[in-house]
């Protein structure tokens, strides 16, 4: 991409990290919606509520800001459609996994998207993958594994539900692909256009089947309103993520998103009283260390340049 693009931002890993953390905080309760609902709403309905609410929110923002979202067709509409498909698949898999597994387990398993994104970023986007990326990825993966093992022991069950594990892994693949698409379009179109296309496309894909499901299952509209917050909150989180991808590459941000397991642990403690074990705490330390390797200055860079 040209450095003169109006949507280009100078690389700023620290700011990108802070934006990514804010985006993760917004999405933590959304991924836990299945468990929060206690089976009140089917997963498909929760996913639809997130995207239909997001579409309504961002279209309203576009109208206020007078962004010509639908008066001209985006040249990247096919990528927006692909991202909408990945977004729906990733969210559905993540919500389902979190509803049948402990939240920390489902989140940690889904964090394999970081390793997937690092590989895809090098193969597809031709981004430079340095040793720091791989070291950070290994540390974060090890930390996530320890958190998963800790949650498994603390929960008192013998093995993870196969359906939940497979769902979490599929969600990781979907989200890794979405991350690459976001990195590409984030530097080529404005935030409102990006969010409008993905949310409207996803809402259109889901509305017919989900409305039929709502009627068939006799879902109450009052129950739907309880989770109306998902759409606007997702728009906030997506805006933060897009801003992050404008300032750092997908390979750089991928390991950083392992911080979701820490936020899930905090959320689980606040809502369900889950207390992390020492092993889980050590895993969280490894995750933070992985993020620090990416963001802190390389102490050997000046030495190498001088030599």
């Amino acid at each position: 991409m040209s450095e003169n693009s109006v949507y280009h931002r100078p690389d700023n890993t620290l700011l990108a990290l802070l934006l990514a953390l804010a985006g993760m905080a917004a999405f933590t309760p959304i991924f836990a919606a299945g468990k929060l609902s206690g089976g009140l709403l089917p997963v498909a309905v929760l996913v639809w509520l997130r995207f239909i609410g997001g579409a309504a929110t961002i279209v309203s923002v576009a109208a206020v800001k007078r962004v010509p979202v639908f008066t001209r067709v985006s040249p990247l509409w096919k990528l927006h459609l692909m991202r909408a498909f990945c977004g729906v698949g990733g969210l559905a898999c993540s919500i389902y996994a979190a509803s049948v597994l402990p939240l920390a387990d489902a989140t940690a398993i889904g964090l394999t998207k970081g390793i997937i994104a690092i590989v895809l970023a090098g193969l597809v986007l031709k981004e430079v993958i340095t040793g720091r990326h791989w070291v950070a990825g290994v540390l974060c993966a090890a930390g996530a594994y320890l958190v998963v093992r800790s949650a498994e022991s603390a929960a008192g069950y013998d093995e993870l539900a196969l359906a939940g594990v497979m769902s979490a892994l599929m969600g990781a693949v979907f989200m890794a692909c979405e991350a690459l698409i976001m990195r590409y379009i984030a530097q080529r179109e404005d935030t409102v256009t990006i969010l409008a296309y993905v949310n409207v496309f996803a809402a259109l894909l889901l509305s017919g089947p989900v409305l039929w499901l709502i009627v068939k299952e006799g879902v109450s509209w009052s129950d739907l309103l309880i989770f109306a917050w998902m759409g606007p909150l997702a728009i906030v989180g997506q805006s933060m993520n897009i801003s992050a991808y404008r300032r750092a590459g997908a390979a750089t941000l991928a390991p950083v998103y392992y911080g979701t397991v820490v936020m899930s642990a905090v959320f689980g403690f606040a809502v369900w009283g889950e207390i992390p074990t020492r092993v889980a705490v050590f895993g969280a330390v490894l995750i933070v260390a992985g993020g620090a390797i990416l963001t802190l200055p390389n102490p050997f860079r000046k030495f190498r340049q001088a030599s």
Side-chain angles (χ1 to χ4, degrees):
M1 190 202 68
S2 171
E3 293 291 326
N4 296 323
S5 171
V6 68
Y7 304 114
H8 175 76
R9 298 292 184 274
D11 286 349
N12 188 330
T13 304
L14 180 57
L15 179 57
L17 170 62
L18 295 176
L19 289 168
L21 289 173
M24 287 188 292
F27 273 101
T28 298
I30 294 175
F31 289 135
K35 183 165 290 187
L36 288 172
S37 71
L40 184 66
L41 297 175
V43 171
V45 175
L46 290 170
V47 175
W48 175 74
L49 284 173
R50 174 259 174 273
F51 283 108
I52 195 70
T57 301
I58 198 60
V59 169
S60 299
V61 172
V64 171
K65 290 189 172 184
R66 298 183 180 179
V67 178
V69 175
F70 302 113
T71 57
R72 56 177 176 81
V73 178
S74 168
L76 302 177
W77 69 268
K78 292 182 181 179
L79 286 177
H80 289 297
L81 182 60
M82 289 175 59
R83 185 180 166 227
F85 176 80
C86 291
V88 169
L91 182 62
C93 290
S94 298
I95 290 179
Y96 174 77
S99 67
V100 299
L101 299 173
L103 183 58
D105 287 37
T107 301
I109 294 171
L111 290 177
T112 53
K113 68 182 179 182
I115 299 299
I116 298 171
I118 284 178
V119 175
L120 292 179
L123 295 176
V124 179
L125 298 184
K126 307 301 180 184
E127 292 185 0
V128 177
I129 312 300
T130 68
R132 296 179 72 180
H133 289 116
W134 291 113
V135 171
V138 169
L139 283 176
C140 292
Y145 173 78
L146 289 177
V147 173
V148 140
R149 298 304 301 174
S150 172
E152 181 179 344
S153 300
Y157 54 83
D158 296 330
E159 59 184 24
L160 296 172
L162 179 60
V165 171
M166 295 304 297
S167 182
L169 289 173
M170 281 301 301
V173 174
F174 277 123
M175 287 187 284
C177 293
E178 183 184 11
L180 298 188
I181 297 173
M182 185 187 298
R183 170 62 174 171
Y184 183 84
I185 64 178
Q187 301 185 59
R188 289 164 173 81
E189 290 190 329
D190 64 276
T191 300
V192 174
T193 297
I194 293 171
L195 294 182
Y197 267 91
V198 69
N199 283 276
V200 170
F201 274 152
L204 291 175
L205 287 172
L206 292 170
S207 288
V210 170
L211 289 175
W212 174 83
L213 180 63
I214 289 174
V215 174
K216 179 178 180 294
E217 298 293 329
V219 177
S220 168
W221 288 101
S222 60
D223 292 338
L224 296 177
L225 290 176
I226 295 176
F227 290 88
W229 51 267
M230 295 176 66
L233 185 60
I235 293 299
V236 174
Q238 284 183 311
S239 299
M240 297 293 183
N241 287 335
I242 290 174
S243 295
Y245 278 106
R246 282 184 176 143
R247 293 168 172 83
T252 297
L253 288 178
V256 174
Y257 280 98
Y258 279 102
T260 52
V261 74
V262 179
M263 291 191 176
S264 293
V266 173
F267 190 82
F269 174 76
V271 179
W272 295 289
E274 299 173 350
I275 301 176
T277 64
R278 292 181 179 179
V279 175
V281 172
F282 181 64
V285 170
L286 290 180
I287 293 169
V288 173
I293 287 176
L294 288 178
T295 57
L296 295 178
N298 186 348
F300 300 104
R301 178 176 300 173
K302 293 183 179 180
F303 175 78
R304 289 175 181 173
Q305 291 175 347
S307 61

